[in-house]
Amino acid sequence: MAIYSTTEQQPPPTDTGGFITWFRENLFSSWSNSFVTLLLLYITLPWIWDLLSWTVFDANWIGTTRADCVKEGACWVFIEQRFGQLIYGFYPQHLRWRVDIVFALLALSIFFLVLPQVSSTIKKYLGIFVLVIFPCISFVLLHGGVFGVTEVETHRWGGLMLTLVLSFVGILLALPLGILLAFGRRSKLPVVSSLSIVYIEFWRAVPLITVLFMASVMLPLFVGGDINLDKLVRALLGIIMFQAAYIAEVIRGGLQAMPKGQYEAADALALTYWKSMGLIILPQALKITIPSLVNTFIALFKDTSLVLIIGLFDLLAIGQAALSDPQWLGYSSEAYVFIGFVFWAFCFAMSRYSIYLEKQLHTGR
Amino acid sequence: MKSNASVRRWWYDERIRGVIFQVIAISAVGFVIYSAVANALNNLEARGITTGFGFLGDQAGFSIIQTLIDYNETYTFGRTFVVGLLNTLLVSALGIVIATFLGFFIGIGRLSNNWLLSKFCATYIEIFRNLPLLLQIYFWYFAVLRTLPTPRESLSLGDSIFINLRGIYFPKAIPEAGSGWFIFAVFVAIFLAWCVYKWAVNRQRITGQTFPVLRVSLALLIVLPSIEILLVGVPFHFEYPVLRGFNFSGGLTVIPELAALLVALSIYTAAFIAEVVRSGILAVDSGQSEAAHALGLSQRRTLKLVVIPQAMRVIIPPLTSQYLNLTKNSSLATAIGYPDLVAVFMGTTLNQTGQAIEVITMTMAVYLVITLTTSILMNIYNRRMALVER
């Protein structure tokens, strides 16, 4: 029988929780870690302080002209003076209430669509409203020309309004086309699948700038007769054809992720191809792919800034135009920081929502 | 009765419906293409624009600020195509290298246990992924590079590298008579390093002993050319940029357009690559790193020997798609005047000749070829690397 000798009982660790322990474990756990922490603090703290003082503490918020920017920091007076143009573009000032109504409707519907407490039947009706009724209302309000509403031509649209119109209409019309292409790619008919594959691979291979150039320069040549296509319509056509290819790939991923049992069950119920796709497969596939669709929307939202190249005045282009005003030379940083913040706020919110959706759908299944 | 039944059966036969549907599809697409082409030819004739690729032989008549090959106004439009293509390839290659290094560093830093480093990398990713690339390019070009000093007051590093409004100037290495031997020595060193690597891998497989391959290869790369220099003499001399009047002459110039485009593209793509790397490393089962720790491997060796080789399988396909995105995004050079393919060929040449269809088709064809080649190579790689499951 072995004889065991007891060792000294060690005192308990001094702390297992609390502030100091967190510091020790996460920031200073080893020599290299401590070095990295100190280096990062040395680099980032002065930089953050400079940024804050430029943006907030030393900035000029009040005034009307360039002479009011006396402090060293950012001259937000410039942005305040140009705010109307940045948001509404060249829309006539007395008619801007129409754009406000469209913005408010969009914001409210998206708010209620996103809120988790809202029941899913209400969300379904809200979805149909956003996809079908809202575009008609916003066309009447924004463009006018029908029902006795004053017409505002599209070359007066600009700024944030134009960016939202381009992205929203782009996704709205690219979605059905993308769904058709996704089905076409998976089809057993060789002609349909090859046409879909050629379309998808072509539009995914070319940069968006060449597509916009093609739409604005070549499209008038292909359309016969005296049809003069609006510049905005040309850009929208290019964007829609381009986005449809990316949406087709996203939906194809969703269709592939569906268990084969669904397809087989639909066949067992003797449903025709279109009925089984429309009633059984597509609703489930769309539900799975909504996070990826939101990511596609974020990419489109950022890419609409490229219409600057073909002469449309989206948010970034209006900012560039504002910078060439001789009264406000030299304030390029303010313009870019503001425009960047607007884009960042939209895209960050959407990406957070898509992460939230992904978590919901995972636990839900 | 009987004839009715057989007609109904013919209508509902799946194969016949399939054939009819495909015939309708082909004729619809064919009709659209035919009418588009007919309209285009009519419209072009009405505007007096000729078709055909003959314009490629005409004299260009405009200059380009950066050309990797010989070019001036008397060269042809076809030459401008090649110049633009080379500029696009240059910016894409440099951008891919920088973005990969930066992206890997930030992606791995995002997963570090140092809270500050992890949050710093997360902030970087969240900021630069959510800003449009065009905005970033404009920011770097107008808000940063335009505020650099004039050539007379340039920032200089050791009197050989100059940074100013007109660009970044480096000393250029000009090969002299004996440079052939130098290059030969470098190639011999690389070949010997590869042989050492093969031998070391084989020896490790048989005996289990490791060999410091990296250090020996570096030593070879330094020693062999040094021996060559000792024997024959330095085969290069440096041409330094010198301020003459208002500008620098001599040396290697990086124009501000290239610098701004490169910085913006690399920073933007690095944020996406960081996410790809992070998801790849997280995709490796945690049991692997736990087993490596149980065997006593340090964190660094676990990463290097166990986690990253397995993560590469998950990382490489989305990584190539990010490389393709970078190549396509380099077309934004039009916005700041960097003479890449789109700016030179689809911008200036199209304006000068008016041959929209041919020019746009050629440009799109280039991007198509690049993308499709990369996709095919990626498919081959994927098939070879696919896990063979039972």
Side-chain angles (χ1 to χ4, degrees):
Chain A
M1 219 166 71
I3 299 180
Y4 298 95
S5 59
T6 57
T7 51
E8 277 290 327
Q9 198 179 41
Q10 288 196 337
T14 42
D15 43 284
T16 48
F19 214 32
I20 306 283
T21 324
W22 183 88
F23 261 93
R24 245 214 337 253
E25 283 174 10
N26 287 317
L27 293 177
F28 297 102
S29 56
S30 70
W31 282 111
S32 59
N33 245 351
S34 319
F35 174 69
V36 169
T37 306
L38 290 172
L39 184 68
L40 277 177
L41 283 174
Y42 178 69
I43 297 177
T44 55
L45 277 182
W47 190 78
I48 293 181
W49 177 252
D50 283 337
L51 187 68
L52 273 177
S53 56
W54 185 82
T55 329
V56 182
F57 302 135
D58 286 333
N60 306 283
W61 298 90
I62 313 172
T64 45
T65 63
R66 191 199 180 100
D68 292 320
C69 288
V70 286
K71 288 194 277 183
E72 274 179 3
C75 186
W76 296 124
V77 180
F78 171 46
I79 303 293
E80 285 159 23
Q81 291 299 309
R82 292 290 187 158
F83 193 71
Q85 218 180 38
L86 281 165
I87 304 288
Y88 302 103
F90 305 113
Y91 216 82
Q93 245 178 332
H94 60 282
L95 292 173
R96 282 185 184 169
W97 56 270
R98 286 159 47 171
V99 185
D100 290 333
I101 296 184
V102 172
F103 276 166
L105 269 178
L106 185 64
L108 276 174
S109 356
I110 291 190
F111 177 70
F112 282 114
L113 271 176
V114 165
L115 219 54
Q117 286 87 354
V118 176
S119 78
S120 51
T121 39
I122 296 187
K123 281 194 183 171
K124 224 188 310 181
Y125 286 123
L126 211 50
I128 297 180
F129 169 76
V130 166
L131 289 177
V132 179
I133 307 177
F134 175 71
C136 306
I137 299 179
S138 52
F139 176 77
V140 171
L141 278 173
L142 287 176
H143 187 248
V146 293
F147 304 140
V149 184
T150 353
E151 185 175 349
V152 180
E153 290 163 359
T154 55
H155 64 83
R156 308 193 69 149
W157 297 10
L160 183 58
M161 181 199 109
L162 185 63
T163 302
L164 286 172
V165 163
L166 278 169
S167 0
F168 202 67
V169 176
I171 275 271
L172 203 60
L173 294 178
L175 204 52
L177 185 55
I179 294 177
L180 281 176
L181 282 167
F183 283 141
R185 189 168 181 162
R186 285 175 58 93
S187 156
K188 284 183 284 236
L189 305 172
V191 164
V192 174
S193 70
S194 4
L195 282 176
S196 307
I197 292 181
V198 163
Y199 182 99
I200 294 176
E201 290 307 319
F202 174 76
W203 290 103
R204 276 176 43 135
V206 289
L208 183 56
I209 277 203
T210 50
V211 171
L212 288 174
F213 256 99
M214 191 196 82
S216 78
V217 171
M218 273 166 80
L219 216 53
L221 292 175
F222 286 144
V223 175
D226 296 311
I227 306 178
N228 207 353
L229 280 175
D230 202 45
K231 219 196 256 190
L232 179 60
V233 172
R234 281 183 247 164
L236 270 175
L237 277 174
I239 290 181
I240 289 169
M241 298 218 277
F242 181 77
Q243 276 303 111
Y246 285 86
I247 292 182
E249 283 295 283
V250 164
I251 296 191
R252 184 174 80 110
L255 289 174
Q256 271 177 336
M258 298 268 324
K260 274 205 87 181
Q262 299 290 317
Y263 295 94
E264 290 165 358
D267 284 340
L269 285 172
L271 290 172
T272 60
Y273 179 79
W274 289 110
K275 280 227 179 87
S276 63
M277 287 296 158
L279 293 173
I280 297 185
I281 307 294
L282 199 54
Q284 298 185 59
L286 280 180
K287 204 174 87 150
I288 305 178
T289 54
I290 285 185
S292 313
L293 283 175
V294 175
N295 286 343
T296 320
F297 184 72
I298 296 175
L300 175 60
F301 189 75
K302 289 186 297 178
D303 283 341
T304 54
S305 52
L306 266 67
V307 297
L308 176 153
I309 312 272
I310 55 171
L312 284 172
F313 283 95
D314 78 310
L315 181 58
L316 186 56
I318 293 247
Q320 277 292 104
L323 283 176
S324 49
D325 186 353
Q327 278 186 344
W328 297 100
L329 282 177
Y331 289 123
S332 53
S333 319
E334 282 85 346
Y336 291 133
V337 167
F338 175 73
I339 295 176
F341 177 72
V342 172
F343 271 110
W344 183 85
F346 273 94
C347 294
F348 186 67
M350 288 191 277
S351 68
R352 283 284 127 181
Y353 178 61
S354 128
I355 292 178
Y356 162 78
L357 270 182
E358 240 174 309
K359 283 202 198 113
Q360 286 283 59
L361 293 172
H362 254 294
T363 54
R365 293 181 81 202
Chain B
M1 259 308 244
K2 203 171 172 187
S3 56
N4 267 351
S6 55
V7 163
R8 274 220 301 274
R9 242 178 283 142
W10 173 80
W11 267 111
Y12 286 140
D13 187 356
E14 204 179 277
R15 278 171 302 156
I16 297 186
R17 280 158 73 93
V19 167
I20 294 179
F21 194 64
Q22 289 179 85
V23 165
I24 295 179
I26 288 199
S27 24
V29 169
F31 174 72
V32 165
I33 294 183
Y34 171 75
S35 55
V37 169
N39 279 332
L41 287 176
N42 279 338
N43 282 331
L44 285 175
E45 223 182 281
R47 298 180 198 192
I49 306 177
T50 52
T51 54
F53 289 94
F55 73 96
L56 285 175
D58 294 339
Q59 203 182 68
F62 62 92
S63 60
I64 303 178
I65 52 178
Q66 176 183 298
T67 61
L68 291 176
I69 53 178
D70 280 332
Y71 176 82
N72 60 49
E73 296 88 17
T74 59
Y75 281 86
T76 62
F77 283 119
R79 187 86 170 176
T80 66
F81 177 76
V82 180
V83 167
L85 182 58
L86 284 175
N87 282 338
T88 295
L89 291 175
L90 173 72
V91 99
S92 309
L94 289 175
I96 286 178
V97 167
I98 300 177
T100 312
F101 275 111
L102 193 54
F104 265 83
F105 179 70
I106 299 209
I108 296 182
R110 173 88 172 76
L111 293 167
S112 128
N113 0 8
N114 189 326
W115 181 87
L116 203 58
L117 182 60
S118 154
K119 288 301 165 196
F120 181 78
C121 294
T123 319
Y124 173 97
I125 295 177
E126 285 307 317
I127 291 182
F128 289 106
R129 260 190 352 159
N130 288 324
L131 293 174
L133 180 56
L134 195 55
L135 176 71
Q136 297 186 38
I137 293 180
Y138 275 149
F139 176 76
W140 287 105
Y141 187 63
F142 288 113
V144 174
L145 272 110
R146 283 290 179 86
T147 55
L148 285 175
T150 57
R152 293 232 168 145
E153 296 141 16
S154 2
L155 307 161
S156 75
L157 280 153
D159 234 9
S160 48
I161 302 182
F162 296 93
I163 303 179
N164 58 48
L165 199 56
R166 300 281 182 93
I168 309 178
Y169 296 86
F170 294 96
K172 188 157 96 164
I174 300 190
E176 282 181 359
S179 59
W181 285 107
F182 183 80
I183 300 186
F184 176 69
V186 168
F187 272 111
V188 166
I190 296 179
F191 174 71
L192 279 179
W194 182 77
C195 295
V196 164
Y197 169 70
K198 283 277 175 209
W199 168 83
V201 163
N202 207 18
R203 190 179 90 141
Q204 183 169 5
R205 192 180 317 148
I206 298 175
T207 64
Q209 292 171 306
T210 55
F211 189 78
V213 175
L214 189 64
R215 270 170 260 185
V216 168
S217 318
L218 276 175
L220 271 174
L221 263 173
I222 295 178
V223 162
L224 278 179
S226 315
I227 297 182
E228 192 273 343
I229 289 181
L230 279 173
L231 289 177
V232 182
V234 182
F236 295 103
H237 82 268
F238 283 104
E239 184 190 0
Y240 288 92
V242 171
L243 182 61
R244 290 214 180 95
F246 287 111
N247 230 334
F248 280 90
S249 57
L252 206 63
T253 322
V254 173
I255 51 177
E257 287 83 10
L258 175 58
L261 186 63
L262 206 52
V263 168
L265 266 178
S266 315
I267 292 186
Y268 181 75
T269 316
F272 286 89
I273 291 184
E275 275 297 284
V276 165
V277 167
R278 183 177 84 109
S279 70
I281 294 185
L282 286 178
V284 175
D285 202 35
S286 57
Q288 296 288 313
S289 40
E290 285 170 4
H293 290 324
L295 286 173
L297 290 176
S298 73
Q299 178 72 1
R300 244 194 73 224
R301 303 205 79 190
T302 328
L303 258 186
K304 179 177 155 219
L305 295 171
V306 176
V307 175
I308 293 204
Q310 297 187 59
M312 288 311 265
R313 189 180 276 125
V314 180
I315 288 178
I316 299 232
L319 190 65
T320 9
S321 100
Q322 288 306 323
Y323 288 165
L324 287 175
N325 279 344
L326 190 146
T327 312
K328 288 187 288 179
N329 283 336
S330 70
S331 56
L332 264 67
T334 345
I336 53 172
Y338 175 72
D340 83 316
L341 180 62
V342 169
V344 162
F345 200 59
M346 220 170 77
T348 320
T349 303
L350 193 151
N351 275 334
Q352 304 269 35
T353 62
Q355 309 266 36
I357 299 185
E358 289 86 357
V359 166
I360 295 184
T361 317
M362 282 174 74
T363 316
M364 281 183 159
V366 166
Y367 284 105
L368 255 175
V369 165
I370 296 179
T371 313
L372 289 180
T373 321
T374 317
S375 302
I376 293 178
L377 289 173
M378 181 48 36
N379 277 339
I380 296 178
Y381 172 83
N382 262 346
R383 230 169 288 162
R384 275 182 51 190
M385 284 283 141
L387 287 170
V388 180
E389 283 167 341
R390 299 209 198 127

